[in-house]
Amino acid sequence: MTAEQQETGLSEKIAAAVQAYIDGLNSGSAEDIADLYADGATVEDPIGAPVRSTRDELVEFYGIITGLETRDATLKWTKIAGDTAVFEFTLVSGTADMKFEITPVDIMVFDDAGKIVSMRAVWEPTDLKQL
């Protein structure tokens, strides 16, 4: 297999993982989302927040989102180069009485199997809008 073929295969795995991440935010469980990560992966969401690096921390973190009554994530765009994906999405989540919208840009680095090894989310508290 040529280097170009390997990169194409990884790009396809990365694109599928990004879509699985968005699907997980929409209707998956915290465990489903954590399954997209490699062992020992790190999550810094948002950049500057404490880094989460264990599966339990990831499940707890994503459990906040997956535990909400409503959640709707829409992928806006994705750029993939080498082992890295950068993408923007909008997430509207909340309860029947209160909803919030945020549009972060996530930077994810992947291993050769297409598992996320690091995720950094670019957003700040003023980006969170109450609807």
Side-chain angles (χ1 to χ4, degrees):
M1 181 179 288
T2 67
E4 184 177 317
Q5 287 171 322
Q6 285 179 323
E7 188 168 316
T8 299
L10 182 57
S11 292
E12 291 170 358
K13 289 176 188 175
I14 290 172
V18 169
Q19 187 59 57
Y21 182 78
I22 297 300
D23 293 345
L25 292 174
N26 277 320
S27 60
S29 68
E31 291 81 8
D32 293 336
I33 298 170
D35 287 344
L36 299 172
Y37 286 86
D39 289 340
T42 59
V43 171
E44 187 179 2
D45 187 347
I47 291 175
V51 175
R52 295 164 179 91
S53 60
T54 68
R55 180 173 174 82
D56 287 345
E57 288 174 326
L58 296 182
V59 169
E60 179 183 15
F61 175 69
Y62 287 110
I64 294 167
I65 296 167
T66 60
L68 293 170
E69 285 179 32
T70 62
R71 49 195 166 118
D72 181 25
T74 305
L75 185 61
K76 297 178 124 225
W77 56 263
T78 306
K79 294 287 183 186
I80 299 169
D83 65 354
T84 303
V86 178
F87 59 96
E88 181 180 41
F89 66 98
T90 298
L91 175 64
V92 177
S93 60
T95 65
D97 297 332
M98 187 179 303
K99 290 191 175 143
F100 292 92
E101 177 184 81
I102 190 159
T103 304
V105 174
D106 282 6
I107 304 163
M108 292 182 174
V109 178
F110 294 80
D111 65 15
D112 291 340
K115 293 280 191 175
I116 304 162
V117 295
S118 83
M119 186 278 268
R120 300 181 80 207
V122 182
W123 65 274
E124 57 187 352
T126 57
D127 294 331
L128 190 61
K129 297 179 181 126
Q130 186 173 349
L131 302 178

